[in-house]
Amino acid sequence: MDIALVGIGKIAVDQHVPAINASPDWTLAATVSRQGSVDGVDSYTDFAQMLAERPEIRVVSLCLPPVPRFGYAAAALAAGRHVMLEKPPGASLSECHRLIELARAQGVTLYATWHSREAAMVAPAKAWLTDKTMTRMTVTWKEDVRRWHPGQDWIWEPGGLGVFDPGINALSIVTEILPDPIHLTAATLEVPENKQGPIAASLRFAHPKGADVSAVFDWRQDGDQTWTIEVETDAGTLALHDGGARMVINGQEHRAEGPTLEGEYPRLYANMAGLVATGDSDVDLAPMRHVADAFLLGRRETVAPFHD
């Protein structure tokens, strides 16, 4: 199938383009971007023009920042195109629900992707936890914003999520692997005095069976990056490390046979091909609900200014 990629920035170049080019399901037929392009691929700066001139392109993958994404997604759906959304699926929950309605009315596929759910050991962790009684879960997600988001000012603005841009990856794994739903009860958001978005956050959740569930996100990490989820159960402990690439159960490491993190985006595009083939959609908003709740319930603390 032909696919158009919209928003040719760092994530598109690093992840989406290689995944599409390596896929047996897709041909990158066009790009839309004000600045970026892909060698050998027709490029547009105007999305409406691409939709009008390329009716044979039935699928659009949107890699834009969250705030402008809704307009592009709504236009694509109105034109009868299937739409794949980078995470988070929108700047607000209301936008996402509107896109679900539009996709349903048009009879097309809408796929809200959560790439961290496709890390190699997430599915095995979910399977192991299915019949266990959890007593504690601790999420530690600490990275260096300068390394992963250099010069991306939009990420600090309203709708950019701040530290929840990576933190929502952790929440996408948590909501995937837990047998029982959780909800946020308290949060502290550390906001630099010169920014709109938080640079760090601590969260606490209620679990229906009384487990102690907490998370810490921080963008000020030097040295090794930390993406860990640790779970204590009645059958021992499980830990996911490196964003779900590695799993340790009761001290024994379990390794994936295939790609670990580098397999995330290829699996997303394989999922999208399957959804289009069956006419289904997949728009799970659970990770985003937790972030929205954190902004609603979170206590703000002003911290030192941050400069790239």
Side-chain angles (χ1 to χ4, degrees):
M1 289 176 283
D2 286 345
I3 190 169
L5 192 59
V6 182
I8 309 302
K10 179 175 171 54
I11 192 66
V13 171
D14 291 350
Q15 300 291 348
H16 289 262
V17 173
I20 292 169
N21 287 341
S23 171
D25 300 309
W26 302 105
T27 296
L28 183 56
T31 64
V32 181
S33 178
R34 289 179 296 179
Q35 297 176 333
S37 61
V38 176
D39 289 345
V41 178
D42 290 345
S43 62
Y44 294 81
T45 57
D46 185 277
F47 187 52
Q49 180 185 0
M50 191 280 294
L51 291 174
E53 293 183 359
R54 304 295 296 274
E56 80 281 6
I57 299 177
R58 306 305 304 162
V59 184
V60 175
S61 180
L62 297 179
C63 305
L64 301 153
V67 170
R69 195 179 299 153
F70 174 80
Y72 285 79
L77 294 170
R81 313 301 169 90
H82 308 287
V83 174
M84 182 172 175
L85 301 167
E86 245 294 353
K87 63 86 185 175
S92 72
L93 287 168
S94 294
E95 285 185 358
C96 296
H97 285 293
R98 180 58 183 148
L99 293 179
I100 292 170
E101 294 169 359
L102 289 171
R104 185 179 297 119
Q106 289 293 100
V108 295
T109 291
L110 181 65
Y111 181 26
T113 69
W114 300 104
H115 67 83
S116 289
R117 287 182 173 177
E118 302 301 330
M121 302 312 297
V122 170
K126 178 179 181 177
W128 189 82
L129 288 170
T130 298
D131 59 352
K132 309 297 187 299
T133 299
M134 186 178 75
T135 57
R136 180 185 300 272
M137 170 181 276
T138 304
V139 180
T140 307
W141 225 253
K142 298 182 178 182
E143 61 182 57
D144 181 359
V145 64
R146 292 184 177 92
R147 182 188 303 187
W148 302 103
H149 299 282
Q152 296 182 13
D153 293 337
W154 62 266
I155 212 163
W156 297 102
E157 295 301 317
L161 297 191
V163 76
F164 287 102
D165 181 82
I168 204 169
N169 295 335
L171 295 173
S172 73
I173 296 175
V174 168
T175 51
E176 177 68 11
I177 66 175
L178 283 186
D180 302 301
I182 58 174
H183 68 270
L184 191 94
T185 57
T188 300
L189 312 181
E190 298 182 39
V191 182
E193 63 180 33
N194 63 332
K195 301 293 184 184
Q196 293 291 314
I199 198 168
S202 59
L203 314 175
R204 296 203 66 83
F205 298 87
H207 184 271
K209 298 176 182 176
D212 183 355
V213 182
S214 63
V216 175
F217 307 147
D218 202 318
W219 250 350
R220 300 165 295 193
Q221 179 86 336
D222 292 326
D224 293 339
Q225 310 292 275
T226 304
W227 301 299
T228 299
I229 298 173
E230 298 172 304
V231 186
E232 298 177 12
T233 78
D234 59 343
T237 61
L238 176 148
L240 286 173
H241 298 288
D242 301 335
R246 296 191 299 117
M247 179 174 67
V248 178
I249 297 177
N250 294 326
Q252 181 178 358
E253 182 160 353
H254 299 253
R255 293 185 177 273
E257 295 181 0
T260 53
L261 295 181
E262 63 269 25
E264 292 179 354
Y265 280 85
R267 284 189 278 271
L268 291 179
Y269 277 94
N271 293 345
M272 183 61 176
L275 290 169
V276 171
T278 60
D280 294 323
S281 289
D282 181 355
V283 190
D284 181 12
L285 300 179
M288 199 167 170
R289 286 202 307 272
H290 292 314
V291 173
D293 287 349
F295 279 104
L296 283 168
L297 292 175
R299 179 169 54 88
R300 270 72 169 173
E301 292 185 355
T302 302
V303 297
F306 176 84
H307 301 281
D308 270 331

